Amino acid sequence: MKVLFIHQNSPGQLRHLAAHLAQQPDVEVLAIGRETAPGMEGIRLLRYRPHRTPSKETHPYVHTFENAVLHGQQVLRMLLDLKGQGYRPDIVVAHPGWGETLYVKLAFPDTKIIHYTEYYYHLEGADAGFDPEFPLTIESAAFISSRNALHLFNIEQCDVGITPTHWQKGLYPAAYHDKIHVIHEGVNVSRLVPDPEAFLKFSNGKQLRVGDPVVTYVARNLEPYRGFHCFMRALPELLKARPDCQVIVVGGDDVSYGDRPDDAPNWREKMLRECPVDLERVHFLGKVNYDLYRCILQVSAVHVYLTYPFVLSWSVLEAMACGCLLVASDTAPVREVIRHGENGWLVNFFDGKALVEYVLYALSNPPEAAVLRANAQQSAQAYSVEKGIAGYMGWIEKLCGPV
């Protein structure tokens, strides 16, 4: 069987499935990604680059779609070259969000396509307009509505769509629900486990160990979509109430979602200006390697996870797998993985007072926290890499036969 993976940032969310298939004796795996894609060892990656950027004359509402067409066009050229060399994939597994798979069926009309159907935009009930601090303008609403043209095209092109959460599936029009199936790609719960001996050592010699009052916050980038502004506004009260508390913040200064602040280089600097904190107690570590990241979660006494109603971060599941006590925003799809009072606590995204109260309660009640920690770790097992691979493999075999 020939399996072709297509992802702008290959392998992206498809890493575990690609690695599994590459180990199968009768499977040939090939990947396509942009010139900046990291790729992965043992899998041949063909890199592409659109021949131009969208025209400045293109209407802003369809700028994203033109960009997608340019990505799809370049990938089509690559696929036609492969076809000329005799290559025929049995199945394509792809993240279509940047347009790469728009024209796959023109090159290979009989090839099955599985799409990672990540997100369908809404003007209400999801990320857009959720935060009153960043109101949705009529221009933004028109732009967002137009972006769904690409996602409708994508869902029409694929044979099966796979999405990580029920909430994400529910965002798509009901007419496509029979085509979309909920399978989380999984996190490495076998490596992400509690460690009572874990400790962190800072360059100044300070150490933090399991059992210390350590509060952690993690995001790919520090920005409002992941509640960074709400977290920062809660910190002064938390630090005042618990003078022994230490806070570890992991995340970069770029923007993954939304916009940069108008009056600062990044959200970290903006929020530090608004909410000055003692940097001897609040440690901004930027982006960290995997082993350090795991250690941070293992020493955490309370892990704060805040998000708009948006794509669920892997970090919340990884924190649960490490046995963290979660205080998280009561937003979809967080409610799919955290049940209030059972395996964590949920608070209103905008209620900084409630956030502080729950963090303080957790720090002061270790026995109750231990129960929630154990339940969180158990809950995370449902999101293992192995279960994710099994779910995807089930659909590959339904579409193409036994692997």
Side-chain angles (χ1 to χ4, degrees):
M1 179 182 291
K2 291 183 174 64
V3 183
L4 174 61
F5 286 90
I6 303 177
H7 193 303
Q8 184 195 48
N9 196 39
S10 181
Q13 297 95 330
L14 307 174
R15 169 179 296 276
H16 302 306
L17 177 64
H20 171 78
L21 284 166
Q23 294 170 0
Q24 307 310 305
D26 297 321
V27 177
E28 177 186 327
V29 176
L30 180 65
I32 290 176
R34 275 210 58 154
E35 76 278 9
T36 54
M40 61 188 301
E41 187 176 353
I43 295 178
R44 181 187 175 203
L45 173 64
L46 303 178
R47 292 183 168 90
Y48 76 92
R49 181 179 182 179
H51 72 284
R52 67 173 177 85
T53 58
S55 170
K56 294 180 181 179
E57 303 302 316
T58 299
H59 194 288
Y61 294 175
V62 293
H63 188 275
T64 299
F65 191 77
E66 184 184 6
N67 196 43
V69 168
L70 291 166
H71 281 68
Q73 178 186 46
Q74 198 64 27
V75 170
L76 175 60
R77 290 168 174 160
M78 187 175 288
L79 295 178
L80 292 174
D81 285 344
L82 288 169
K83 187 175 184 177
Q85 299 167 27
Y87 178 77
R88 300 289 190 282
D90 295 289
I91 191 164
V92 170
V93 185
H95 190 313
W98 297 274
E100 288 96 335
T101 61
L102 284 173
Y103 312 116
V104 167
K105 293 276 189 177
L106 296 181
F108 303 114
D110 298 325
T111 293
K112 301 298 183 182
I113 299 178
I114 292 178
H115 272 168
Y116 186 89
T117 46
E118 186 169 28
Y119 206 67
Y120 189 89
Y121 291 93
H122 283 250
L123 300 183
E124 294 182 355
D127 59 318
F130 170 74
D131 192 337
E133 192 169 335
F134 309 100
L136 184 66
T137 66
I138 191 66
E139 287 294 316
S140 296
F143 172 74
I144 290 168
S145 297
S146 301
R147 289 189 72 173
N148 278 335
L150 170 61
H151 302 302
L152 287 172
F153 204 137
N154 285 334
I155 196 64
E156 284 285 348
Q157 292 298 302
C158 70
D159 295 278
V160 166
I162 292 178
T163 196
T165 67
H166 293 278
W167 179 74
Q168 284 165 272
K169 174 180 176 175
L171 293 175
Y172 281 81
Y176 296 103
H177 285 185
D178 288 346
K179 198 175 191 178
I180 301 173
H181 305 275
V182 178
I183 302 170
H184 196 281
E185 59 274 14
V187 297
N188 198 333
V189 298
S190 61
R191 290 187 64 189
L192 294 158
V193 296
D195 180 3
E197 303 301 320
F199 69 93
L200 293 171
K201 186 174 182 179
F202 294 98
S203 56
N204 62 3
K206 182 177 181 59
Q207 292 191 12
L208 297 176
R209 298 182 175 276
V210 174
D212 291 339
V214 178
V215 176
T216 55
Y217 171 95
V218 171
R220 187 195 319 173
N221 285 299
L222 307 178
E223 54 194 329
Y225 256 73
R226 297 310 188 191
F228 177 65
H229 57 324
C230 298
F231 177 71
M232 285 296 295
R233 288 166 183 160
L235 278 187
E237 184 180 345
L238 173 63
L239 294 169
K240 181 179 178 181
R242 281 295 300 246
D244 59 340
C245 174
Q246 295 282 317
V247 180
I248 299 175
V249 180
V250 173
D253 288 331
D254 294 326
V255 172
S256 299
Y257 314 107
D259 301 314
R260 292 183 180 275
D262 295 330
D263 54 352
N266 53 65
W267 287 101
R268 177 179 56 84
E269 292 190 32
K270 177 178 174 62
M271 295 313 302
L272 279 172
R273 192 184 304 158
E274 178 183 330
C275 308
V277 293
D278 182 358
L279 296 182
E280 292 296 314
R281 297 178 61 195
V282 181
H283 310 275
F284 290 91
L285 302 188
K287 295 184 177 181
V288 300
N289 64 46
Y290 185 84
D291 288 338
L292 178 55
Y293 167 64
R294 177 177 56 182
C295 187
I296 290 167
L297 295 178
Q298 289 168 336
V299 302
S300 175
V302 184
H303 183 75
V304 175
Y305 177 71
L306 304 175
T307 183
Y308 285 8
F310 193 58
V311 175
L312 189 74
S313 306
W314 285 347
S315 66
V316 68
L317 297 170
E318 292 168 334
M320 293 170 71
C322 286
C324 287
L325 173 56
L326 269 292
V327 176
S329 57
D330 189 8
T331 48
V334 180
R335 288 187 290 267
E336 287 190 34
V337 298
I338 297 180
R339 296 176 295 279
H340 183 70
E342 182 180 333
N343 60 358
W345 283 311
L346 298 174
V347 297
N348 184 291
F349 179 91
F350 303 105
D351 193 343
K353 188 173 186 294
L355 175 63
V356 171
E357 288 174 353
Y358 273 101
V359 171
L360 292 174
Y361 184 83
L363 293 174
S364 302
N365 293 272
E368 186 172 348
V371 174
L372 271 65
R373 285 172 174 274
N375 290 343
Q377 188 191 7
Q378 182 60 40
S379 298
Q381 305 312 303
Y383 297 90
S384 69
V385 167
E386 292 74 19
K387 290 188 177 181
I389 289 172
Y392 271 87
M393 291 301 298
W395 277 105
I396 290 174
E397 294 183 357
K398 283 180 184 178
L399 293 171
C400 300
V403 175

